[in-house]
C-alpha cells in the first residue's frame, strides 16, 4: 500500500491508471486498485497484491513501470508501503 497526497486528483487518477496497467503486465501481479479517501480530500491510496516480495520488487525495477510510475510516485507520502501477512 502506498498513499499519495495531491491537489490535482483528476491528473493523479489518470496517471495511476497508466501505472496500474504497467503493473498488471508484470509477472506475479495478483490485484491492484487505486482510490480516494472518503474523508480526506487530496489523499489517495494504491493497493497491490503480489505473489511475493520478489515479484513486487522486480516489477518496480522494470523500465516500463518506472516510466509509468514517475508522475505518480512524486506524490507518495514518506511512510512504510510494504506489509507482509502474519
Amino acid at each position: 500500500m502506498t498513499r499519495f497526497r495531491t491537489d490535482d486528483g483528476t491528473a493523479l487518477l489518470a496517471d495511476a491508471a497508466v501505472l496500474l496497467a504497467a503493473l498488471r503486465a508484470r509477472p506475479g501481479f495478483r490485484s491492484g486498485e487505486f482510490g480516494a479517501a472518503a474523508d480526506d480530500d487530496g489523499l489517495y491510496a494504491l493497493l497491490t497484491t503480489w505473489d511475493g516480495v520478489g515479484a513486487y520488487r522486480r516489477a518496480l525495477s522494470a523500465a516500463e513501470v518506472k516510466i509509468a510510475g514517475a508522475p505518480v510516485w512524486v506524490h507518495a507520502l514518506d511512510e512504510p508501503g510494504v506489509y507482509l501477512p502474519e
Side-chain angles (χ1 to χ4, degrees), residues 21-48:
L23 291 171
R24 283 187 187 105
R26 303 305 305 163
F29 180 88
R30 289 188 183 176
S31 67
E33 55 189 304
F34 192 88
D39 58 352
D40 188 343
D41 289 341
L43 185 63
Y44 298 82
L46 171 66
L47 176 65
T48 58

Side-chain angles (χ1 to χ4, degrees), residues 18-19 21-23 25-27 55-71 73:
V18 174
L19 172 58
L23 291 171
R26 303 305 305 163
Y56 171 72
R57 290 181 178 164
R58 285 187 295 277
L60 291 183
S61 67
E64 58 272 14
V65 172
K66 288 180 181 181
I67 292 166
W73 302 133

